[in-house]
């Protein structure tokens, strides 16, 4: 009989505890998130104010109404981030925002609404607004990219991979308004690549081979430009003495 009573009391206690915890959680989720309840990790560059200014949320906002997936997309785009995760937390209360910044490897310039915008480019070919870059990462940048557009990011990524793997010394990458691609290489000078992105890997391989051949054979003539728009028939123009 005592055991039954003990079990009954324990069940009652568990039920009360469960109801209390449920009520507490419900109250917490309805509580409003204030700016000071935003906790940022992964980067010291961004502040609570950056999260607020670069989202469409109106703070304070009830925790339960924060759409984390939508907020992640907004912050990733507006702050030029590689990745971002947002979690609603009850203990401690607030929003936890973990940021993975993009690391610039080149200076960049893009045209938006007929206005030149200066920034940087990362290894994935993504444009980074200059206010979203940590200045300590800018000391060794030597590459410049002009005419950046979103559709060129894959080509840029391929070029950056080739620079590293083939030891190319490309210092400038330029896209014209119609997408014509030209690069400047330290030894080979101006190289015309054209408007066919599907050829880029083949063209980069040719650039590597040309650079190696010129070094091996101590090519003495001063190169003006190389035309690889038709990589099957490369054309090399040298300065006339």
């Amino acid at each position: 009989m005592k055991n039954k009573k003990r079990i009954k009391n324990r069940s009652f206690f568990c039920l009360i505890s469960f109801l209390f915890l449920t009520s507490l959680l419900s109250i917490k989720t309805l509580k409003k998130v204030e700016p000071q309840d935003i906790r940022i990790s992964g980067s010291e560059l961004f502040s609570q104010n950056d999260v607020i200014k670069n989202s469409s949320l109106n703070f304070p906002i009830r925790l339960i109404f924060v759409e984390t997936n939508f907020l992640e997309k907004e912050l990733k785009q507006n702050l030029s981030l590689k990745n971002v995760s947002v979690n609603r937390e009850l203990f401690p209360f607030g929003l936890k925002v973990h940021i993975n910044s993009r690391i610039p490897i080149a200076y960049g310039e893009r045209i938006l609404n007929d206005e030149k915008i200066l920034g940087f480019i990362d290894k994935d070919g993504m444009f980074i607004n200059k206010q979203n870059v940590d200045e300590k990462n800018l000391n060794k940048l030597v590459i410049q990219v002009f005419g950046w557009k979103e559709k060129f990011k894959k080509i840029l990524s391929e070029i950056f991979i080739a620079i590293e793997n083939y030891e190319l010394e490309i210092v400038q990458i330029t896209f014209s308004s119609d997408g014509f691609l030209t690069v400047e290489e330290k030894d080979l000078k101006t190289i015309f690549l054209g408007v066919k992105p599907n050829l880029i890997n083949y063209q980069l391989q040719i650039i590597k081979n040309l650079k190696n051949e010129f070094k091996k054979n101590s090519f003495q003539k001063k190169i003006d430009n190389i035309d690889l728009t038709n990589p099957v028939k490369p054309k090399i123009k040298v300065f006339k003495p």
Side-chain angles (χ1 to χ4, degrees):
M1 193 74 177
K2 287 182 180 179
N3 286 338
K4 286 185 178 181
K5 187 175 181 180
R6 191 175 299 142
I7 293 171
K8 187 176 181 180
N9 289 339
R10 188 180 300 163
S11 300
F12 179 74
F13 176 77
C14 290
L15 177 61
I16 293 299
S17 299
F18 174 76
L19 292 174
F20 174 78
L21 182 60
T22 302
S23 299
L24 180 61
L25 293 177
S26 298
I27 293 170
K28 280 275 191 179
T29 57
L30 291 174
K31 186 179 175 182
K32 289 185 177 181
V33 178
E34 302 284 350
Q36 61 268 25
D37 297 319
I38 301 172
R39 296 183 303 283
I40 298 173
S41 62
S43 173
E44 297 179 357
L45 183 63
F46 301 101
S47 65
Q48 297 163 329
N49 195 42
D50 290 317
V51 173
I52 295 168
K53 286 196 305 182
N54 289 279
S55 76
S56 58
L57 297 179
N58 293 316
F59 289 88
I61 181 174
R62 297 192 189 279
L63 183 65
I64 196 172
F65 294 146
V66 176
E67 296 182 40
T68 55
N69 289 339
F70 183 72
L71 181 55
E72 287 170 354
K73 290 178 182 177
E74 282 189 316
L75 295 178
K76 185 175 181 180
Q77 178 177 339
N78 296 339
L79 295 177
S80 311
L81 301 175
K82 187 174 183 64
N83 201 11
V84 59
S85 63
V86 179
N87 292 303
R88 293 178 292 190
E89 295 190 340
L90 298 178
F91 304 101
F93 175 81
L95 291 176
K96 183 178 180 181
V97 181
H98 184 78
I99 288 173
N100 186 359
S101 302
R102 293 188 180 277
I103 300 174
I105 64 170
Y107 295 99
E109 177 187 287
R110 65 183 298 193
I111 306 296
L112 188 62
N113 299 325
D114 296 323
E115 179 185 355
K116 287 184 180 179
I117 298 175
L118 301 180
F120 302 90
I121 311 293
D122 80 339
K123 67 177 184 179
D124 298 322
M126 291 298 297
F127 190 87
I128 315 169
N129 293 323
K130 60 182 181 179
Q131 69 268 24
N132 297 329
V133 167
D134 192 338
E135 292 185 1
K136 68 184 180 183
N137 293 318
L138 307 181
N139 298 332
K140 299 180 180 179
L141 301 188
V142 296
I143 306 171
Q144 294 179 301
V145 178
F146 297 98
W148 182 94
K149 290 182 181 179
E150 179 115 14
K151 64 181 179 181
F152 299 143
K153 62 184 182 182
K154 188 176 185 302
I155 299 175
L156 284 168
S157 178
E158 296 291 347
I159 294 174
F160 294 144
I161 291 171
I163 288 173
E164 184 175 353
N165 292 344
Y166 299 160
E167 297 182 355
L168 301 179
E169 296 177 274
I170 292 175
V171 294
Q172 186 171 305
I173 304 166
T174 304
F175 295 95
S176 68
S177 57
D178 61 357
F180 190 98
L181 173 60
T182 305
V183 301
E184 297 283 336
E185 209 276 340
K186 186 177 179 181
D187 296 320
L188 303 179
K189 306 307 177 185
T190 302
I191 306 171
F192 302 117
L193 299 178
V195 292
K196 296 180 180 178
N198 58 308
L199 296 177
I200 189 64
N201 286 313
Y202 184 29
Q203 292 168 322
L204 290 167
Q205 183 70 48
I206 293 174
I207 294 173
K208 172 199 170 187
N209 294 339
L210 286 173
K211 189 174 175 79
N212 290 341
E213 284 297 317
F214 287 176
K215 281 187 175 181
K216 190 188 339 180
N217 297 304
S218 300
F219 189 76
Q220 297 297 322
K221 293 185 178 180
K222 192 174 181 182
I223 299 171
D224 181 12
N225 64 68
I226 298 173
D227 188 343
L228 294 180
T229 51
N230 180 1
V232 178
K233 297 180 179 179
K235 300 175 183 177
I236 302 174
K237 181 179 179 182
V238 297
F239 285 104
K240 293 181 179 180

